[in-house]
Amino acid sequence: MTTIRQLIQTAPTKANELLETLADTSNNAVKTRERLLGDLKYELELLAKLEEEQLFPVLRKHKETKDLVAAALNDNKQARKLLAELEQTPKGSEEFGPKVAELRKVFQQSVRDERKDLLPAILKALSEEEAQAVVERIEDVKAEVEEAKRAEAEQRRTEQRQERDQAEKRLSEQKEAADRERETREAARQNAKRVAQAAEAAAESTRKMARSTAETVQRVATAPLSTGSLFFDVMFGMWGMPLGSSLMRSSDTSAPKSQASTQEEEVIPLAEETLIVGKRLENGGTTTVRRYVVEVPTEQQVTLYDETVVVERRRPVTDQVTGETLTELTVEMVETSEVPLVGKGVRVREEVVVRRERTKRVETVRDTIRRDEVEISNASGRSGNRQAALAYSSK
């Protein structure tokens, strides 16, 4: 069962440890300082709340402890003021460390005053039953506060899990969207490939048709003209005269080549190139984060106690004989001296997060493409009407 002495002596232990850890942090450990300061504020507020609501009302009823309550309340007020100033101070500034040291000094002095002055007065003024009742109320309230804190922490963990689940869901949706986009690009690439193949096939068909037409024109041009009568053929000198020679003499050699068609309808395909834009990844640089271990000197003050045996002579308080007398007696008392024991623990000072962030940009790709056009001419002077008819039919 916890006594009032044990309660007052052990209650500030956790706050002292937090102050010590907070004082050892560097200006770069901003996140660690914020976390430790939050824990320290909770611990100091809890200690002050338990004293002011459970212990001090009982002490005000006794004359021996009434005056000590005012001093203890003043210490709590000063600690709250320094804690508020510490919260307003930037956690990475040079002023943060001295303010932590000042708060630590005030708090430790308050703890020493309670152990030296307040505790003896409590033990003298309060009965054992009254002191134990105060201890039980303080432990009950502390248990309720701790349970509420655990419930709040569990609620925060639940909310964090929900946020992680939502983030994972968003990432999954983004991945699915990226997959769909990749499939769309692949389908567009395949479609462009099929269009290119169709255009190539149409061009090949046009070339074949042109060759066939040229061969037909050549055969017609080289065939001899005849009237059906040998007499008239010899008379007019048409026997054996190739049509091609007559055509060549009547045609302009500087005009572009033309193909005569003997078909009722000719189909001239007009092809056009399409622009196909792809993407590839390029290495834009590598960021390397290496963790390594360094050794830095550190120091810490510890309070040690030495116990020495003091032998003194004095006059007896009373002449009455108490205990055995005129007999041999040996008393042994051991002297003690505390020595520091050094151990090392490991804690996470801060975290370094390395991640990749994706940004989107739009670039315009410019190039030239080729396409077929038609030019229509008519020797009879009706080319304008035929062009208009072609334009009308194309609409």
Side-chain angles (χ1 to χ4, degrees), residues 154-189:
E154 182 63 28
Q155 179 66 23
R156 286 198 301 267
R157 286 193 293 270
T158 302
E159 293 176 355
Q160 291 174 356
R161 284 196 298 269
Q162 292 176 354
E163 291 178 357
R164 287 196 300 269
D165 293 341
Q166 293 176 358
E168 291 176 357
K169 183 178 179 181
R170 287 194 296 269
L171 289 176
S172 178
E173 292 175 352
Q174 292 175 0
K175 183 179 179 181
E176 292 178 357
D179 292 339
R180 288 194 297 269
E181 182 180 358
R182 187 163 51 251
E183 292 175 356
T184 302
R185 290 197 301 267
E186 181 64 22
R189 190 181 67 83

Side-chain angles (χ1 to χ4, degrees), residues 59 64-65 68 116-126:
L59 298 182
E64 297 86 349
T65 57
L68 297 176
K116 181 181 178 181
D117 300 330
L118 187 62
L119 179 58
I122 291 174
L123 295 176
K124 183 178 179 180
L126 272 64

Side-chain angles (χ1 to χ4, degrees), residues 78-96:
Q78 187 176 4
R80 286 192 179 100
K81 179 181 178 182
L82 293 175
L83 185 62
E85 293 178 357
L86 194 61
E87 286 184 309
Q88 299 298 324
T89 304
K91 307 306 179 290
S93 63
E94 296 292 339
E95 295 82 6
F96 188 83

Side-chain angles (χ1 to χ4, degrees), residues 4 28 46 49 70 115 133 165 219-220 227 260 268 288 312 367:
I4 191 69
N28 296 327
L46 179 60
K49 175 183 175 66
R115 292 176 179 177
D165 293 341
R219 286 195 301 270
V220 173
T227 60
I268 302 176
T288 304
E312 62 180 6
D367 204 341

